[in-house]
Amino acid sequence: MVQLSSSPASPSGCSSPSWDPGSPRRSGAGPRRALRRVLLGASACVVALAAAAAVPAAAATGAPPPVRDEDRGGDHLTVTVRHAGAAHDGTYELYCHPESGTHPDARGACAVLDRSARWGHDIFAPVPRGSACTMQYGGPATAHVTGTWAGRPVDATYDRRNGCEIDRWNALVPLLPDLRS
């Protein structure tokens, strides 16, 4: 009688069955039982491969999914700048995707936001508590940014009271005015 044996496992982890006509028959293993094992093994491989194929490529690599057009439609920010000098003070509306509004550099502001956006990182987050910041003063300028970015609400306040806050401000230039000397 014929017995089922396994060949080395394939890269998918599934082994391909082969028939070995020269091997002795195991007691209690009939042709139906062998056929059932082959069919069960094959169906398990099909299920495993289907599950692996269902995982999007972005999830498999750990990369964020691409930004969908419907997520971009609500990108609208209001930027209010105070004490930065007459040339910079004011309230500006910014729309991105496509760029428009009363912001003096809408294209540049949207570009810096797009470049700064990273999966799992809030570009409007405050400086973390306990951060070691240099004791430098960048001036009395303040900014308040509100609205929606990437489908999420934004309500962030900026100032230039220490090195960390200055770096946080400078990271968003030209959304915020460039006050570097």
Side-chain angles (χ1 to χ4, degrees), residues 157-179:
T157 305
Y158 294 83
D159 60 45
R160 299 176 60 81
R161 69 177 171 240
N162 62 43
C164 295
E165 295 292 347
I166 293 169
D167 286 344
R168 183 172 170 250
W169 179 295
N170 290 344
L172 289 180
V173 169
L175 175 68
L176 303 178
D178 190 353
L179 303 178

Side-chain angles (χ1 to χ4, degrees), residues 93-115 149 172-175:
E93 298 295 322
L94 175 67
Y95 294 88
C96 296
H97 313 110
E99 300 87 3
S100 64
T102 60
H103 191 282
D105 185 3
R107 178 169 287 168
C110 291
V112 76
L113 291 170
D114 284 337
R115 278 193 311 269
W149 178 255
L172 289 180
V173 169
L175 175 68

Side-chain angles (χ1 to χ4, degrees), residues 128-156:
R129 288 182 180 256
S131 296
C133 302
T134 58
M135 300 287 293
Q136 67 188 79
Y137 181 66
T142 62
H144 188 205
V145 180
T146 58
T148 304
W149 178 255
R152 297 174 191 241
V154 175
D155 188 356

Side-chain angles (χ1 to χ4, degrees), residues 28-105:
R32 283 187 169 172
R33 191 171 187 186
L35 182 59
R36 189 173 73 210
R37 280 196 309 178
V38 168
L39 292 175
L40 285 174
S43 63
C45 288
V46 168
V47 169
L49 291 172
V55 175
T61 63
V67 176
R68 302 173 303 180
D69 288 337
E70 58 268 24
D71 292 337
R72 295 180 174 228
D75 294 342
H76 167 248
L77 298 173
T78 302
V79 181
T80 303
V81 179
R82 302 268 185 256
H83 311 296
H88 303 295
D89 285 356
T91 298
Y92 309 101
E93 298 295 322
L94 175 67
Y95 294 88
C96 296
H97 313 110
E99 300 87 3
S100 64
T102 60
H103 191 282
D105 185 3

